[in-house]
Amino acid sequence: MDSSILTILAFFPLLGILILLVVDKDRLGAIKTIAFVTSLLIALISLYIYFNFKPDAPGMQFSINKTWILSLGINYHLGIDGISLFLVLLTTFLTPLAILSSWSAITDKVKGYYISMLFLETGMIGVFVSLDLFLFYVFWELMLIPMYFLIGIWGGPRRIYATVKFVLFTMTGSLLMLVAILVLYFMNHNLSGTYTFNLLEINKLPIPLGTQFWLFFAFALAFAIKVPMFPFHTWLPDAHVEAPTAGSVILAGVLLKMGTYGFLRFCLPLFPNAFIDYTWLFSILAIIGIVYGAIVSIRQVDVKSLVAFSSVSHLGFVMLGIFALNIQGIEGGILQMINHGISTGALFLIVGMIYERRHTRLIEDFGGVSKKMPVFAAFFLIVALSSIGLPGTNGFVGEFTILLGTFKSNVAYAVIASLGIILAAVYMLWMYQRTMFGKIIHPENEKLRDLNLREKLILIPLIIAIFWIGIYPTQFFTRIEPTVKSLIENAKMKYEKNKLLDESLKVDSRQIKQIE
Amino acid sequence: MNYVYLIPLFPLLGFLINGLLALSFKTRSDEKIPGMSLVSWIGCGSVGLSFLTSITIFFKLLALPAGERVVQKIAFPWILSGTFHVDIGFLLDPLSSVMILVVTGVGFFIHVYSTGYMAEDKGYARYFSYLNLFTFFMLMLVLSNNFLLLYLGWEGVGLCSYLLIGFWYEKKTASDAGKKAFIVNRVGDFGFALAVMLIFWTFGNLNFTSVFENAPQVLAFGGGLVTAITLLLFMGATGKSAQIPLYVWLPDAMEGPTPVSALIHAATMVTAGVYMVARCHALFLLAPISMGVVAVIGAVTAIYAASIGLVQNDIKRVLAYSTISQLGYMFLACGVGAFTAGIFHLMTHAFFKALLFLSAGSVMHALAGELNMQKMGGLKKHTPVTFWCFLAGTLAISGIPLFSGFFSKDEILWKAFSSSSGHFLLWLVGVITAGMTAFYMFRLFFMVFLGKSRMNPHVEAHVHESPKPMTIPLIVLAVLSVIGGYVGIPKSLGGSNRFEGFLSSVFEGGHEVSAEATAHAPSAEYLLMIISIAVVLTSIFLSYRFYIKNPDIPKRLAAKYKTAYNILSNKYYVDEFYNKVIVNPLLNLAWFLWKKFDVLVIDGTANGIASLVKWGGGVIRKTETGYLRNYTLSLIFGAMLILAYFILR
């Protein structure tokens, strides 16, 4: 059971798709129910993993390693550890909510839509549990397809531009990553004599510093675009503004985390020297992202693009924590990935709910909404506060831990990044004021109905998560910590080893030259 | 004392219940206010229970020997990451017990008052849920045993302040004021958060007891590190406690319902900064530079805000500037090492300022929401209870002997002069401020209650005394304002200063300073006391001349010194200055970065590359003409080039 559970988890959505394929495309109720129940079952399976996860073990758990394509050394290798556990849970937790949120918003090509959603879930889980570079790349690219359709078919007026931009940006990065993966593959063969894409094997590979630099940047570019880090972020606002609500939720909630996850899973263990030597570059880009994203958010006129730019700022915090390279920084970073998924996911759901009523997302079209929709206003306020990191909510725990770690590694970085916290209050509260407070000036808003039961059921789990992580995050930290500890230790050890190796290589080559 | 957690728990439960009630009511009916008595019972009851618990715990603490009055209770671990470990935990000592008594006691009476004041408001349940939530966060703030949990309470009370200032959210000025309060406070919190991080990496711990115990060993006296920590902490305090330069949010905060102004913006939340500085006295005493900064900022804020208060006509704004000024006094006390005096004034101020605000609320209630003092006058005969209570508060804040404010204010003035870190100038500023305070408070009192009526006749016809739920809390607070000072009668006046004795176990360091101070001859203390009393009485007399005897004088003076008057009545144009230097540039920068930089430069580059590829494709496509002769031509051309290459090589 334990070795096949990840397989079941990753491919369970396909089972749902198989059933959907035989359902008549006009039986909307049946289609929605099947999709929702499938995603709910997946969430239950992921809970099994959570409860059977050994908190004190740093290594991979529930792993499976079977030969897939023998002649090329490609294996079907899955596993989960403290870094990926909560990202998988985030995926399985957000997908049912995203599906439920599409209930009345999606009326066109319904069957294709839910098939895409489930297909996307397989791709996302696959990315987080793959331990074979080839398999990882397959899932990484596979996930693009349903997202491409979600934005391109069910999106807004400029959906084609947005979806092509999204795919082109991502592909540019991932092609370089593919080249780097192949280089690693052949390098490994040269040194060990075997062809393998096994990440855990390749991790042991001593890579000369010069080569590390190039490979690191090939991977880092792919991930930095995905995060997105400044200045590769411009695909994000476009994609979000055009994507349907559920697409935005998944995009912001899960897809962006693949970038930050990539830095932790691949860049740091594979290329610790390049990673550590270029910490300054990524930290500075992260800080620019934090401040820049927040300032640009202030004057946004569309709520969705405001949330998109705020994501640039929040993901900057995650990157800053990861590149602080200490326990608090990285743990805070991982927790903040989850927090951002919850808070920003909830923000997009909230925007979607108001959009369904008014078919506009422009801030100026609202005002005084809390009079007509008090329950909505209360949910919105809680989520906005969690997004600006109010103590007691999840955002605070993540941001503070990150800043604490950053403070240790570089005081100036922490000071500048903390400015982002002030700016977050500026853009979020101003937007909230203009949409929810004031008098109703647009007559259309007089008829607004408060949230219905389905909408409340979507938001309540997220609200619970916000306070749970905000008040009692211990379960999260204890499960993340062993993996992070060993990640940092190994990276630092490998850093020193590679450095020594490099120096001895230099000495060797000098001696050889002298002999010549 | 195991049940100390109950103190914040009751208001939290009250918040949850009333909050859910508020949400469920709204959806059902918009006409009447349903379940009002239930909401009132839950709202007041929860705070009342926590008041009773606080009293019990206070006496249990008192029963302990003086040296053992420090109790810590850990509820559960909060954040654990690597070596970083912080708990949800409570610290009970004389300082926090005084604070919980003030918060729950004054808070309870303000809750009761609100049942009358807010009776007509449709957001009744929402109001009480916010008020309870505030009480919860405030209690967490003062009961916390570590810096981070204090920060939770700190930001939490800020949130409630935001919600309650903007309670009437349909009014733009109200929601603007709420937002301003939150953002300005966040600027201060930026400093506070950095201080917390600095403390953790210095001590490896955030627990108060352990940090303060180790401080003398870890930090060098007067060193850069402790100065940085304390200045950053004080930056947080200038935000929350409305000191220069971050005081600007407090006058605007008067947009909130008046009981809120009394509870949050006078009696409790705004004193959190003073509490925090007093709590961290062990750190501040190691940093003489920071102490100097605290004292000077406090003194300057005190006189600055008082000068604005002299000419304001909005009854609540006068009280707001007065609050800023009185908070300045408290910081002055802390800055000269007289932490006990600061906390003493915090307590008496909580009584008389809450009383003054609630009385002002009662006046507004009587006058259908009127705030302009120019349209009042002669209210004494209409609202006798409010009149007497307001008089008690005015006498107390002016520092008339035998009233509570006298003892605490005089203690501060004496310490400002005599303490080893005090200075004659600090004392002088304090005395002048005391004179101004007496002047504007009596100006307010005369303009509202005495003299001829300047009321709109339509309004005057409906003037009435407030109902019992409002007048009873007024009377209670009036009594406290009169007698509240007797717990701290200084030794020079034959008292035993029990207040100082009770707090001495907390402020051992501060005690040394004051012990040094008593070395001065008692005759000096009497002399200073007499001077300040004389200044206050003169001010009251002037005020009487100006506003009762000869109401033309102020107008003539204003005309004569037009510039000075304009500067004061426009509050030194500080809001305008901040708008010009911070707010507008930020908004412009945001617009520029978005519209020019992001869209044109960054996205322009991305789209530019795409266009370049498209254009290149278009150019190359033109060579694909489909004519055989063109292909033959290029074939021959190519062959010639290759040939040329080989020949010329």
Side-chain angles (χ1 to χ4, degrees), chain B residues 273-412:
Chain B
V274 182
Y275 164 77
M276 187 266 288
V277 170
R279 173 59 79 199
C280 303
H281 67 280
L283 299 175
F284 277 87
L285 285 174
L286 290 173
I289 299 175
S290 307
M291 289 291 276
V293 171
V294 173
V296 170
I297 295 255
V300 172
T301 307
I303 192 165
Y304 170 85
S307 72
I308 299 176
L310 293 175
V311 299
Q312 298 301 310
N313 281 323
D314 180 315
I315 184 171
K316 284 182 74 182
R317 300 252 162 174
V318 176
L319 293 176
Y321 281 105
S322 157
T323 304
I324 298 174
S325 173
Q326 298 296 312
L327 290 165
Y329 261 113
M330 298 174 208
F331 281 111
L332 171 61
C334 293
V336 297
F339 297 102
T340 318
I343 296 296
F344 186 27
H345 196 57
L346 185 158
M347 185 182 82
T348 56
H349 176 259
F351 298 150
F352 60 68
K353 192 49 74 61
L355 169 66
L356 289 169
F357 265 114
L358 294 185
S359 307
S362 171
V363 168
M364 288 166 64
H365 194 79
L367 298 178
E370 183 58 62
L371 282 162
N372 190 345
M373 285 148 52
Q374 302 287 0
K375 295 180 182 165
M376 298 179 185
L379 270 177
K380 181 188 168 189
K381 58 177 181 289
H382 299 289
T383 58
V385 179
T386 310
F387 165 80
W388 284 109
C389 291
F390 200 94
L391 180 62
T394 308
L395 291 169
I397 192 176
S398 303
I400 301 297
L402 305 181
F403 289 87
S404 65
F406 169 75
F407 298 109
S408 54
K409 185 179 280 187
D410 224 74
E411 180 90 1
I412 292 175

Side-chain angles (χ1 to χ4, degrees), chain B residues 235-281:
Chain B
M235 183 177 170
T238 56
K240 192 107 300 174
S241 294
Q243 296 295 292
I244 290 172
L246 296 179
Y247 71 92
V248 286
W249 63 271
L250 186 59
D252 291 18
M254 298 300 122
E255 291 286 343
T258 306
V260 169
S261 312
L263 177 62
I264 301 184
H265 306 117
T268 55
M269 182 188 83
V270 288
T271 62
V274 182
Y275 164 77
M276 187 266 288
V277 170
R279 173 59 79 199
C280 303
H281 67 280

Side-chain angles (χ1 to χ4, degrees), chain A residues 161 165 169 230-231 233-234 238 292 295-296 298-301 305 309 327-328 331 368 370-371 374-375 378 381 385 388-392 396-397 400-401 403-405 407-408 414-415 418-419 421-426 429-430 432-433 436-439 450 470-474 477-478 481, chain B residues 22-24 26-27 30 76-84 88 122 130 137 148 151-153 155-156 159 162-163 166 169-172 174-179 182-183 186-188 190 193-194 196-198 200-201 206 586-591 593-594 597-599 602-603 606-607 610:
Chain A
Y161 170 76
K165 195 171 181 181
F169 263 78
F230 177 90
H233 62 274
T234 53
D238 284 317
Y292 179 85
I295 292 181
V296 173
I298 295 176
R299 289 295 287 268
Q300 293 304 308
V301 292
S305 78
F309 275 109
I327 291 188
Q328 287 83 14
E331 285 186 11
S370 53
K371 187 153 181 82
V375 177
L381 184 67
L385 292 173
I388 65 178
L390 191 88
F396 174 72
V397 178
F400 187 81
T401 320
L403 288 172
L404 196 69
F407 198 96
K408 171 101 177 164
V415 172
S418 301
L419 288 175
I421 296 181
I422 304 177
L423 292 168
V426 175
L429 293 185
W430 196 29
Y432 190 82
Q433 179 193 21
M436 307 309 288
F437 293 155
K439 286 201 168 60
D450 211 343
I471 295 164
Y472 196 66
T474 315
F477 280 115
T478 49
E481 187 146 312
Chain B
L23 287 177
S24 55
K26 280 238 166 173
T27 48
D30 230 7
F76 55 86
W78 185 14
I79 304 178
L80 308 163
S81 175
T83 54
F84 182 61
I88 304 277
K122 278 187 186 150
Y130 290 167
F137 276 125
L148 203 66
Y151 188 69
L152 177 138
E155 286 245 311
L159 165 71
Y162 163 80
L163 292 170
Y169 55 79
E170 285 181 78
K171 218 168 126 198
K172 178 143 192 319
S175 64
D176 275 344
K179 187 184 63 186
F182 196 94
I183 291 169
R186 272 243 157 162
V187 176
F190 162 78
L194 290 176
V196 174
M197 292 175 215
L198 201 50
F200 177 74
W201 290 119
L206 285 178
L586 180 65
L587 291 179
N588 290 337
L589 178 68
W591 187 256
L593 281 184
W594 175 35
F597 188 71
D598 206 71
V599 173
I602 300 185
D603 210 26
N607 286 336

